[in-house]
Amino acid sequence: MHRLLKTFTLITMAAASAITCASAAGKPLKVYILVGQSNMQGQAQKWGMPGMAADTAYKELYDKIMDENGEFRVHENIHVAALSGGESPTTKSGPLTLGFGGELTGSPEAKGKNALRFGPELGFGITMHEQLNEPILIIKAAWGGKNLNTDFRPPSAGKWTPPEGHVDAKRGPVFPIPKTFELPADFTPPTGRGSHMQLRPMRGIQLPKMHGIYPLYIESAPEQMFEGEPFRVGDIIIGINGNGLGESPSVKKGWRNAYFNALENDWMLSITRLRDGRIETVDVDLVEGGRANLAREKAQRDAGRKEVLGAYYREMMKHVKTVLADIKSYCPTYNPEQGYEIAGFVWFQGWNDLSDAVTYPNYDKPGGYDQYSWLLSHFIRDVRAELNAPDMPFVIGVLGVGGYQNPPYDKTGYFQQAMAAPAMCPEFKGNVVAVQTGNYWDEKLEGLLGKKDKTPEDEAYIKQNSFNRSYHYLGSAKTFSRIGEAFANAIVKIDKGDLDD
C-alpha cells in the first residue's frame, strides 16, 4: 500500500528517549490525522471515569487510560499536536493524556484543571500504540459548530448537480395561486421581528398554511426602492412568478434567490398579493440604480461566499502541514533520517449538516442527504491528493447521537446512511471504512435521563456518566473512549486488509 514518506535534514538529539522501538527497527514515524467538529474536539470529563471503572465492559480500557492512583496516565510514546478554538486558534502539544479535548481555548490554569476534557484521541492513541508497539504522532484539528457544506467544503467540490430523477432534482410542489383568498375571521397581524427579505428594511413573516399555500405577511416595507408600491406593511404575498408560496425553511433565502434570479434574467419578477381584500398580480421593478445596487450586493455575496467556503478545510490543512514541516518540535523522539508516514485520517463530524434544512430540503426522504455523500467523497480525494497519500486509510466516524438507527428511518437514519455511503464506493474499496459511533451510545443513560421516578441508583449512574448535552454524546467518558478505540481498530483492519465486503 502506498504511503507518504518524507525525510528531513538530520537534527541530532542527545536525549536517551530518542532511542525507541521505532528507531531501533528503522521504521518511519506513523502520523494519524483526526479532524471534525465539537465531538472530535471531545466533550468527556474526568468526572466520568468512575462510571467507566464501574462498568465491567469498559474496565479494561479504563485501566489503560488511568493509573492505579486514579490519575490519567501520560503516554510518552504517543504525542499530540491539536489545533482548536475560534478567531484565535490554540495549538496544544505534548504526550497524550487528559486535556486535548474541547477546552483547548483559554488558559487551563485560569479555568482550572477540572475544566479539561478529552475526546476520541485517548482511546484512539492508546489502542493504536498497543497494536503497533511503536511511537505515533496524532495531529488533531477540530472546531465546534462547523459543517461540511460550507466550513470544511473541499476545494474540488463545485455545484451539486443531482442525477436525473433524484429527489433533489425534482421540482418542488407547485402551489396554484388561489382565485379567491380570505383571511380567517380571527386573523390577527403577527407581531415580532420577521426574516429580512434581502432588500433591507423589507421583512416578512411566514403565516400558517391557508388555501393550500403559505402566505407571507409584510412586516416592514422599503421606501423609494421599487417603482410604485408593490409592497406595503400589511400586504399578504401569496405568490411569486406565477406560483403560490410554499413552505420554506428560510424566507430570507427564498427571496434572496428570487431577486438574484430576476436580476440575472433581466429582472422579470412578478408578485401576487392580497391588499385591501383584493388579489392583485403586479410586475416588480427597481427604481433607477436599484439593479446596480443589487448587482453589487450579489457580487459581494459571491466574493464573500468564496472566501468562507472551505475556510476550515484550509485551516486544517495549514495546521497539518505546519506540524509535518517541524515534527521534531511536536514529537521529541522523531528521527528525521527515518522520516514519517501518514498512516490514517479520521473524520468525525456531522451535527451541523444533519440539522441544515436549507442545504438538505429533502432531509426526511430517502436520498435527501446524498449531497453530503458527494461532498465527503470530494473531501477524501482532496485530502489524499494534497497530502500526496492516495491510499491513506480513511475512517468515517458516522454521527451516532441517539444511537445507530435501523429502518424505518427518520432524518438521523438517512444522514447516517449518507455519511457511511462513501465507504461503499468502488474507488474507495479497501481503504475507506465507516464506523457507526451510534453503537457506543449509552442507551441506559438516555433511558434514565428520561425516567420520571428515578431511584438513588439511577441518580448515581446519571451523576457518574452524564456531563453534557445529547448532541455531545451526553459527555460520556465511556462513549468517547470506546469511539476512539473503534477508530483505531478500523485503521488496523484496513492495514491488514480484512475489511468485510
Side-chain angles (χ1 to χ4, degrees):
M1 179 178 291
H2 177 81
R3 297 289 171 82
L4 175 62
L5 182 62
K6 188 173 182 179
T7 59
F8 293 92
T9 304
L10 175 62
I11 301 176
T12 303
M13 182 175 181
S17 60
I19 303 175
T20 64
C21 51
S23 61
K27 296 180 180 179
L29 175 71
K30 285 188 167 56
V31 178
Y32 298 93
I33 303 170
L34 310 184
V35 176
Q37 58 179 122
S38 58
N39 285 314
M40 180 58 92
Q41 279 183 308
Q43 307 301 326
Q45 299 182 42
K46 73 172 189 176
W47 307 114
M49 300 312 294
M52 188 174 178
D55 192 325
T56 56
Y58 290 83
K59 184 62 166 62
E60 183 179 353
L61 183 55
Y62 169 88
D63 288 336
K64 297 173 185 177
I65 296 173
M66 309 296 287
D67 65 19
E68 59 278 3
N69 297 315
E71 297 293 333
F72 280 80
R73 297 182 187 275
V74 178
H75 302 271
E76 297 291 347
N77 273 331
I78 308 168
H79 281 79
V80 183
L83 176 69
S84 188
E87 294 182 0
S88 301
T90 302
T91 301
K92 183 175 181 180
S93 61
L96 178 64
T97 188
L98 171 68
F100 290 101
E103 290 292 337
L104 288 175
T105 55
S107 167
E109 291 76 16
K111 293 185 175 185
K113 193 173 181 180
N114 294 338
L116 298 176
R117 301 181 183 183
F118 67 90
E121 74 283 345
L122 261 180
F124 177 88
I126 291 169
T127 304
M128 188 58 69
H129 178 261
E130 187 178 58
Q131 292 282 344
L132 297 173
N133 192 30
E134 60 188 72
I136 63 174
L137 172 63
I138 296 172
I139 303 177
K140 181 175 171 180
W143 298 267
K146 300 297 178 283
N147 63 31
L148 179 59
N149 177 59
T150 300
D151 304 304
F152 279 107
R153 193 177 187 88
S156 67
K159 182 179 179 181
W160 162 244
T161 304
E164 185 177 351
H166 189 276
V167 63
D168 286 349
K170 297 176 182 177
R171 185 179 178 186
V174 175
F175 296 90
I177 296 176
K179 295 181 179 179
T180 60
F181 194 96
E182 294 182 0
L183 296 174
D186 60 351
F187 175 78
T188 302
T191 58
R193 192 169 176 82
S195 297
H196 85 70
M197 296 164 64
Q198 191 58 35
L199 296 178
R200 295 178 177 87
M202 188 172 175
R203 289 183 174 274
I205 300 175
Q206 191 170 69
L207 301 176
K209 190 174 183 179
M210 300 180 197
H211 307 289
I213 63 170
Y214 294 84
L216 190 65
Y217 178 86
I218 300 300
E219 179 198 31
S220 61
E223 297 177 0
Q224 298 180 339
M225 188 176 291
F226 297 100
E227 296 287 354
E229 288 187 293
F231 303 102
R232 288 183 191 168
V233 174
D235 281 351
I236 300 203
I237 309 302
I238 61 177
I240 183 169
N241 291 338
N243 289 319
L245 295 182
E247 186 176 21
S248 170
S250 171
V251 172
K252 173 183 172 182
K253 180 177 185 293
W255 280 83
R256 176 190 63 199
N257 290 340
Y259 284 128
F260 288 159
N261 289 339
L263 180 70
E264 293 167 355
N265 290 283
D266 197 26
W267 194 256
M268 297 185 64
L269 179 68
S270 69
I271 62 163
T272 302
R273 70 192 179 205
L274 180 69
R275 178 182 290 181
D276 299 328
R278 296 197 314 271
I279 293 180
E280 304 169 324
T281 298
V282 297
D283 293 329
V284 177
D285 203 354
L286 294 168
V287 297
E288 185 177 353
R291 297 188 194 185
N293 290 337
L294 189 58
R296 280 195 295 273
E297 184 175 351
K298 181 178 184 297
Q300 291 171 357
R301 181 206 68 166
D302 291 346
R305 180 171 168 80
K306 289 178 182 178
E307 185 176 325
V308 170
L309 284 178
Y312 285 86
Y313 176 95
R314 294 188 290 274
E315 283 296 315
M316 164 201 74
M317 201 56 70
K318 178 182 176 182
H319 173 58
V320 170
K321 291 180 179 180
T322 297
V323 175
L324 293 178
D326 187 19
I327 294 180
K328 197 82 166 179
S329 296
Y330 301 94
C331 182
T333 61
Y334 175 60
N335 186 337
E337 284 192 330
Q338 291 157 203
Y340 67 82
E341 171 188 346
I342 299 180
F345 191 110
V346 180
W347 172 250
F348 189 28
Q349 185 267 348
W351 179 263
N352 281 65
D353 290 278
L354 168 70
S355 54
D356 183 359
V358 174
T359 302
Y360 307 99
N362 297 299
Y363 59 84
D364 58 345
K365 300 179 180 65
Y369 284 109
D370 283 356
Q371 185 178 175
Y372 185 95
S373 307
W374 173 79
L375 284 166
L376 185 53
S377 296
H378 278 281
F379 185 92
I380 297 169
R381 297 185 197 104
D382 287 353
V383 294
R384 284 175 163 178
E386 196 157 350
L387 295 173
N388 192 27
D391 298 316
M392 174 183 68
F394 194 102
V395 174
I396 303 167
V398 178
L399 186 69
V401 171
Y404 174 67
Q405 193 175 114
N406 291 304
Y409 293 130
D410 62 13
K411 72 173 185 177
T412 300
Y414 290 129
F415 187 72
Q416 289 175 346
Q417 281 188 314
M419 280 201 78
M424 305 299 292
C425 293
E427 70 171 296
F428 299 138
K429 183 177 176 60
N431 53 37
V432 176
V433 64
V435 172
Q436 295 290 345
T437 68
N439 291 334
Y440 310 104
W441 174 258
D442 194 334
E443 295 182 356
K444 178 180 177 180
L445 178 58
E446 180 185 33
L448 292 179
L449 287 170
K451 187 178 177 182
K452 290 184 178 180
D453 299 319
K454 299 179 178 66
T455 67
E457 291 77 12
D458 296 339
E459 296 287 2
Y461 188 89
I462 292 172
K463 187 177 180 179
Q464 286 188 328
N465 293 281
S466 179
F467 299 93
N468 212 306
R469 298 173 180 86
S470 61
Y471 54 76
H472 285 153
Y473 291 82
L474 302 169
S476 168
K478 293 193 295 188
T479 298
F480 278 100
S481 299
R482 187 54 59 83
I483 286 173
E485 179 185 53
F487 290 162
N489 286 331
I491 290 180
V492 171
K493 283 190 173 184
I494 292 175
D495 289 337
K496 292 181 177 179
D498 63 354
L499 292 180
D500 296 332
D501 293 331

